[in-house]
Amino acid sequence: MNNSERLKFLSSEGVIPLDSRIISTHNNLVVASDSESIVARISTVAQIEARKDPGDLIYSHKMSNVIGRDGAVLSPIDERPIEFGENIISRYPKMPIPDWSEVSGDELAEAARKLNSFPYQTAGLFRNNRIRHMNVADYVQSRLKSLDDQPNKNAVTYIQKILDKYRTDHCFSTAAIQSGGLVHGDMHSGNVVSANNQLLFIDLDSIAIGPREYDLASWCVRRMRGDVAPAVEATTLSVAEGLVNKDLIRSMVGWKVLSSMSHELVYNPINSESKIIELARIAEELEAPGDWSSNA
């Protein structure tokens, strides 16, 4: 059953509104309805079982409900995901994405504070809930190992060289200990909505315990690749206010670039060479430590 057929089937069965339309097919099928102001993320049991961490829709749903009590995220409508045949559905109220072109001054400063303190209150959360620990070094290494016999050997060697250096000089696990907190893990403008004059975060598939600076650093890299949010400006404000460590931001930029490079090799192998070159330039422009110039 393709996405259009699944949409028609679920709509006809009354599981999602009749006027639901597809707005994204990245990772999950995402649909939206105007009549009921609902956004629904839909996966199949097979898709969830096939995905490696991160990327679990059920995990995302659980974390949204748990952390949503602190007002940091937009909680799903349903207490538990809807299971309908092979489909697993998580429904959210429809909220607008902020118009970042109008965010400046005090509003930008407030946005910066929220972006680097996700979520705001975590007391007791680590003790009472099983939350993943983020380790980008392991993510990247596992991707590279899966590519040993692929044609992009020069790119694999290049990324491996930088990865080995980062593991020695900018250990991700050490950074997590120095500046640990909850990390969204997939921070970009599409995962931030606006409600009652506050920013709320959605899509918590990748939430984990890790270095707090990772989200802002990740967003800075995404901004350089076309994201609309003023992530670089927000990071500058965060550093100026002493909310984040400047050196950790830079090393987290490097870790995000390494993750993105390995992602391109796995999921976009045909065009990966140009993307890796682009990412290396971004690393240099954002002053990530290390030598990014010798891309093979």
Side-chain angles (χ1 to χ4, degrees), residues 220-237:
C220 285
V221 174
R222 288 179 182 271
R223 179 66 178 86
M224 301 292 284
R225 305 187 80 186
D227 197 299
V228 297
V232 175
E233 296 87 341
T235 301
T236 300
L237 281 168

Side-chain angles (χ1 to χ4, degrees), residues 6-290:
R6 289 171 67 201
L7 176 62
K8 184 177 180 179
F9 169 68
L10 292 170
S11 298
S12 67
E13 293 290 333
V15 181
I16 57 177
L18 282 172
D19 68 338
S20 296
R21 65 188 188 283
I22 297 173
I23 59 174
S24 175
T25 58
H26 179 68
N27 292 338
N28 309 123
L29 173 62
V30 184
V31 302
S33 162
D34 292 325
S35 63
E36 298 187 31
S37 295
I38 288 175
V39 174
R41 299 177 64 210
I42 306 168
S43 286
T44 66
V45 174
Q47 285 174 323
I48 288 177
E49 290 178 347
R51 293 277 315 260
K52 295 180 179 179
D53 294 349
D56 186 339
L57 180 62
I58 295 175
Y59 181 80
S60 174
H61 189 103
K62 175 185 175 184
M63 288 299 107
S64 292
N65 271 320
V66 171
I67 303 169
R69 299 170 191 161
D70 292 328
V73 300
L74 185 63
S75 296
I77 292 173
D78 309 290
E79 184 177 347
R80 305 179 73 174
I82 298 171
E83 296 188 30
F84 193 85
E86 287 295 303
N87 297 284
I88 296 176
I89 304 150
S90 180
R91 302 187 305 171
Y92 289 78
K94 193 175 184 180
M95 296 287 181
I97 294 173
D99 182 355
W100 292 100
S101 65
E102 297 182 359
V103 177
S104 61
D106 291 342
E107 287 182 305
L108 180 58
E110 178 62 19
R113 282 189 285 271
K114 290 185 176 182
L115 292 175
N116 73 70
S117 58
F118 164 82
Y120 324 122
Q121 300 169 13
T122 59
L125 193 59
F126 300 130
R127 293 192 300 273
N128 301 328
N129 295 277
R130 295 185 64 183
I131 300 178
R132 298 169 180 150
H133 285 259
M134 173 182 280
N135 195 323
V136 175
D138 288 348
Y139 294 163
V140 175
Q141 189 66 77
S142 64
R143 288 171 180 164
L144 294 183
K145 284 184 177 179
S146 72
L147 294 165
D148 282 347
D149 297 325
Q150 299 300 315
N152 294 310
K153 286 188 176 181
N154 287 342
V156 171
T157 301
Y158 166 71
I159 297 171
Q160 185 69 61
K161 181 179 179 180
I162 299 176
L163 174 61
D164 291 342
K165 186 69 172 173
Y166 260 65
R167 277 179 152 168
T168 301
D169 296 345
H170 310 284
C171 179
F172 193 89
S173 298
T174 300
I177 294 172
Q178 292 174 345
S179 185
L182 283 186
V183 179
H184 183 283
D186 190 24
M187 193 66 78
H188 59 81
S189 58
N191 280 341
V192 182
V193 295
S194 177
N196 301 320
N197 297 317
Q198 64 175 325
L199 298 180
L200 299 174
F201 302 94
I202 60 173
D203 292 1
L204 306 188
D205 303 54
S206 304
I207 187 173
I209 299 170
R212 291 184 305 104
E213 282 79 359
Y214 185 80
D215 279 338
L216 274 179
S218 175
W219 206 337
C220 285
V221 174
R222 288 179 182 271
R223 179 66 178 86
M224 301 292 284
R225 305 187 80 186
D227 197 299
V228 297
V232 175
E233 296 87 341
T235 301
T236 300
L237 281 168
S238 299
V239 171
E241 293 187 17
L243 298 172
V244 293
N245 181 288
K246 186 175 183 179
D247 290 335
L248 274 182
I249 283 282
R250 288 175 175 172
S251 66
M252 288 303 114
V253 165
W255 279 114
K256 174 59 181 178
V257 166
L258 282 168
S259 179
S260 297
M261 285 178 169
S262 64
H263 184 276
E264 293 290 348
L265 278 178
V266 171
Y267 297 105
N268 188 27
I270 296 176
N271 300 314
S272 62
E273 182 176 351
S274 62
K275 296 295 184 181
I276 289 172
I277 292 172
E278 173 198 6
L279 285 161
R281 290 173 179 165
I282 289 172
E284 291 181 321
E285 189 164 346
L286 293 177
E287 300 182 344

